[in-house]
């Protein structure tokens, strides 16, 4: 008789591979979702080696399946009295750590795969913040570009007319994301109030300050990304001072990442929108960008009218050919592929901070890690937005609102803690310096322990 012993490592690997195989079969058309799951699954193998109880409780198969997916029709009338129909989503992924929490994205690319990838990532990001919030995400394939203010309002009202029955301050708390800012959140909240006859301000975050919103929420994701990168740099005896920085996008996250990087003494030389990018070798004029994007709602190409020495180039990926010390992708998923990563590395990039969700594909991440570039993964680096959303919920519940400085100081501390926890988890599980593994594990372990405590359901 031969006795074969299977090592914990082999068991862990077989378990993770088995769950991923099944996931691929069940979601074969959901590329973004599978990509996000694969990135997390790979890094969890060392956890299952040390925690066979998670395998016994089949935590991975349970956590990858959302609590529920809500998909609904949004019918609304445009300014020409034509009836338009869009699809709305809310994925309530996990409420182990607190009410489902995650933004709403309005963009034509939105589909179930994208909302699931965002919702799954959100579980671990939210756990990392140390705040009592679960994971969820939602949105619609509605395209806000070119729509009038009245059309946006009517769409938001129609969207909330279905969504309201699924959310609540202790149930599910949506917020903004791409295409959803304070204006949209205001319209959504107004409709929620009319439908529920209740002024539950904690049901949505990202509201206007002075109207139930938190100061520093608008700045939180961008500032938080820079705070996180600053921690990575400090550990490497470095800083933002005098560094050349490239930031993609020119929306909410990008604008405030630029602002904080500049405040830390960096020269930010480029930013973009979905049509192209601007390069300003003397350093971007942030006031001009705010006027173009926040006041006029215009294209970034018009930046050259403000700064004659700046250049505009059509197309987005070229932005990564600009030599820089620090790159902050703050636009959208998969904006840095392996080739762009190699270009950034050969141009001497020292640090990457992911302000957007999943902006680097798996090949790019591996290139950065192999080259020893400091890499701040989205889950950790952009968690500042949802962290301040949780602080907004706390303020709404207590009816007491805090100063900008107080919220910003709390945000700063949360980002430092996320960095420390991710770094410690990476070391504990045998991957020192790898914050991708560290952030995934630090977030996962908290949720897995909560699931064990709650039993099987
Ligand atoms: P916004 O809608 O405010 O801005 C998005 C920006 O990215 C716009 O300038 C947009 O240009 C640009 N963009 C879109 N696609 C591309 C592309 N392919 N190449 C270059 N630029 C592009 O969104 P946010 O700033 O809120 O969100 C940006 C990212 O950050 C998303 O991944 C989001 O999920 C993530 N995030 C946001 C948080 C938040 O608090 N807002 C929190 C955590 C993560 P255009 O105007 O042409 O569309």
């Amino acid at each position: 008789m031969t006795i074969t012993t299977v090592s914990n490592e082999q068991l862990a690997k077989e378990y993770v591979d088995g769950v991923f195989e099944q996931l691929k079969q069940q979601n074969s058309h959901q590329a973004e979702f599978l990509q996000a799951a694969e990135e997390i699954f790979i890094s969890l193998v060392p956890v299952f080696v040390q925690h066979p109880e998670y395998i016994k409780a089949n935590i991975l198969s349970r956590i990858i399946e959302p609590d529920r997916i809500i998909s609904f029709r949004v019918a609304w009338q445009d300014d020409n009295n034509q009836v338009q129909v869009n699809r709305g989503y809310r994925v309530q992924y996990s409420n182990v750590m607190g009410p489902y929490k995650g933004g709403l994205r309005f963009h034509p690319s939105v589909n179930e795969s994208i909302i699931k990838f965002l919702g799954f990532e959100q579980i671990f990001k939210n756990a990392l913040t140390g705040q009592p919030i679960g994971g969820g995400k939602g949105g619609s394939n509605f395209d806000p570009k070119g729509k009038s203010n009245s059309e946006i309002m009517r769409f938001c009202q129609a969207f909330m007319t279905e969504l309201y029955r699924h959310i609540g301050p202790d149930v599910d708390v949506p917020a903004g994301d791409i295409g959803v800012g304070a204006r949209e959140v205001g319209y959504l909240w107004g409709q929620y109030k009319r439908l529920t006859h209740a002024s539950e301000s904690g049901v949505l975050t990202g509201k206007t300050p002075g109207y139930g919103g938190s100061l520093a929420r608008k700045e939180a994701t961008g500032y938080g990304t820079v705070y996180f990168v600053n921690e990575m740099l400090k550990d490497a005896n470095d800083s933002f001072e005098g560094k050349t920085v490239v930031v993609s996008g020119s929306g909410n996250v990008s604008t405030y990442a630029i602002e904080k990087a500049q405040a830390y003494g960096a020269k930010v030389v480029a930013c973009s929108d979905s049509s192209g990018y601007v390069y300003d070798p003397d350093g971007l004029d942030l006031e001009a960008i705010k006027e173009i994007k926040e006041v006029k709602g215009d294209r970034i190409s018009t930046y050259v009218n403000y700064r004659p020495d700046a250049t505009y180039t059509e197309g987005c990926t070229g932005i990564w050919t600009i030599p820089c010390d620090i790159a902050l992708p703050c636009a959208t998923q998969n904006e840095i592929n392996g080739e762009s990563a190699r270009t950034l590395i050969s141009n001497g990039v020292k640090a990457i901070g992911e302000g957007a969700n999943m902006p680097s594909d798996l090949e790019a991440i591996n290139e950065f890690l192999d080259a020893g570039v400091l890499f701040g993964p989205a889950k950790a680096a952009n968690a500042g937005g949802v962290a301040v959303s949780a602080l907004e919920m706390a303020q709404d519940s207590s009816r007491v609102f805090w100063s900008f400085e107080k919220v910003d100081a709390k945000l700063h501390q949360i980002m430092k803690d996320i960095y420390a926890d991710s770094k410690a988890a990476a070391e504990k599980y045998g991957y020192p310096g790898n914050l991708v593994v560290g952030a995934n594990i630090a977030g996962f372990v908290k949720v897995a322990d909560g699931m064990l405590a709650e039993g099987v359901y």
Side-chain angles (χ1 to χ4, degrees):
M1 194 174 77
T2 47
I3 299 171
T4 47
T5 49
V6 183
S7 70
N8 272 3
E9 239 170 86
Q10 221 173 318
L11 274 177
K13 186 144 190 347
E14 277 170 16
Y15 174 62
V16 171
D17 287 349
V19 177
F20 190 62
E21 259 327 294
Q22 198 180 1
L23 193 74
K24 278 201 290 191
Q25 280 169 21
Q26 290 174 343
N27 301 275
S28 54
H29 300 298
Q30 300 192 343
E32 297 85 357
F33 174 55
L34 291 174
Q35 182 186 336
E38 188 177 12
E39 187 244 286
I40 294 180
F41 278 26
I42 294 169
S43 54
L44 294 180
V45 173
V47 179
F48 292 111
V49 174
Q50 290 192 29
H51 294 277
E53 70 274 20
Y54 293 160
I55 300 181
K56 189 153 183 284
N58 203 0
I59 296 287
L60 202 54
S61 297
R62 288 160 59 195
I63 208 168
I64 193 62
E65 194 63 31
D67 286 356
R68 64 195 62 79
I69 300 175
I70 301 148
S71 157
F72 52 97
R73 179 189 66 239
V74 188
W76 57 283
Q77 230 164 346
D78 67 19
D79 287 345
N80 300 318
N81 292 325
Q82 298 294 309
V83 177
Q84 304 288 341
V85 179
N86 287 97
R87 185 171 292 174
Y89 297 96
R90 187 71 186 165
V91 175
Q92 297 180 330
Y93 229 112
S94 163
N95 65 358
V96 170
M97 305 300 289
Y100 304 106
K101 182 89 196 81
L104 297 171
R105 176 176 291 192
F106 291 170
H107 192 272
S109 65
V110 163
N111 56 33
E112 195 176 300
S113 168
I114 288 187
I115 299 299
K116 275 171 67 185
F117 115 62
L118 291 164
F120 184 56
E121 293 254 309
Q122 196 84 45
I123 306 172
F124 309 109
K125 180 189 309 193
N126 293 3
L128 271 178
T129 66
Q131 303 293 310
I133 40 179
K137 198 81 189 187
S140 172
N141 60 354
F142 171 73
D143 186 358
K145 275 206 197 86
K147 301 291 189 300
S148 71
N149 191 37
S150 316
E151 288 176 322
I152 301 273
M153 184 180 74
R154 285 196 295 275
F155 177 81
C156 289
Q157 290 171 344
F159 186 86
M160 186 53 87
T161 300
E162 173 59 32
L163 186 69
Y164 87 96
R165 67 188 85 244
H166 307 289
I167 62 175
D170 295 316
V171 178
D172 182 352
V173 182
D177 189 74
I178 293 179
V180 179
R183 174 182 63 164
E184 291 73 18
V185 169
Y187 293 148
L188 290 163
W189 189 32
Q191 184 71 350
Y192 180 85
K193 282 193 219 176
R194 282 184 286 278
L195 292 165
T196 58
H197 191 53
S199 183
E200 299 165 324
S201 56
V203 73
L204 286 158
T205 59
K207 301 178 295 292
T208 305
Y211 181 65
S214 175
L215 290 167
R217 173 60 188 88
K218 181 174 70 171
E219 293 82 358
T221 309
Y223 279 20
T225 301
V226 171
Y227 290 149
F228 188 91
V229 173
N230 198 40
E231 291 303 301
M232 299 197 299
L233 292 168
K234 271 197 320 205
D235 246 357
N237 292 319
D238 213 336
S239 75
F240 270 94
E241 185 66 44
K243 296 290 185 308
T244 300
V245 178
V246 166
V247 179
S248 64
S250 48
N252 173 256
V253 180
S254 322
T255 302
Y256 294 95
I258 295 171
E259 186 163 282
K260 187 52 75 177
Q262 288 181 340
Y264 275 176
K267 184 164 77 164
V268 186
V269 294
C271 71
S272 57
D273 61 20
S274 60
S275 309
Y277 65 92
V278 287
Y279 173 54
D280 189 341
D282 297 329
L284 291 173
D285 176 349
L286 186 59
E287 287 317 305
I289 292 169
K290 285 185 179 175
E291 188 174 313
I292 293 165
K293 290 308 218 182
E294 292 182 352
V295 181
K296 295 184 176 166
D298 216 337
R299 306 305 296 160
I300 202 64
S301 54
T302 61
Y303 180 82
V304 295
N305 302 334
Y306 295 76
R307 302 269 287 192
D309 290 340
T311 52
Y312 172 73
T313 308
E314 280 286 329
C316 298
T317 51
I319 195 168
W320 306 121
T321 64
I322 298 169
C324 62
D325 302 304
I326 299 166
L328 304 176
C330 295
T332 193
Q333 63 269 4
N334 291 328
E335 45 171 322
I336 302 185
N337 59 15
E339 193 188 330
S340 296
R342 286 185 286 278
T343 307
L344 279 160
I345 293 164
S346 63
N347 283 336
V349 75
K350 295 184 175 67
I352 309 286
E354 293 192 317
N357 283 313
M358 208 167 74
S360 316
D361 71 13
L362 263 176
E363 191 188 347
I365 293 174
N366 289 330
E367 292 284 354
F368 291 133
L369 294 177
D370 290 349
V373 173
L374 302 174
F375 185 80
K379 206 170 284 106
N382 74 25
V386 77
V388 173
S389 274
L391 301 180
E392 182 172 331
M393 289 163 71
Q395 293 170 78
D396 287 332
S397 305
S398 65
R399 266 70 168 164
V400 175
F401 288 89
W402 305 334
S403 67
F404 185 96
E405 290 70 24
K406 180 166 176 172
V407 180
D408 188 31
K410 284 178 182 288
L411 165 68
H412 200 160
Q413 189 56 49
I414 289 170
M415 297 315 295
K416 286 182 174 184
D417 292 345
I418 293 175
Y419 175 73
D421 288 353
S422 305
K423 186 183 161 193
E427 275 163 16
K428 178 173 174 196
Y429 287 91
Y431 289 81
N434 184 332
L435 295 172
V436 177
V437 169
N440 285 340
I441 292 180
F444 175 81
V445 167
K446 290 186 191 189
V447 185
D449 286 343
M451 291 172 76
L452 283 186
E454 290 186 356
V456 179
Y457 63 93

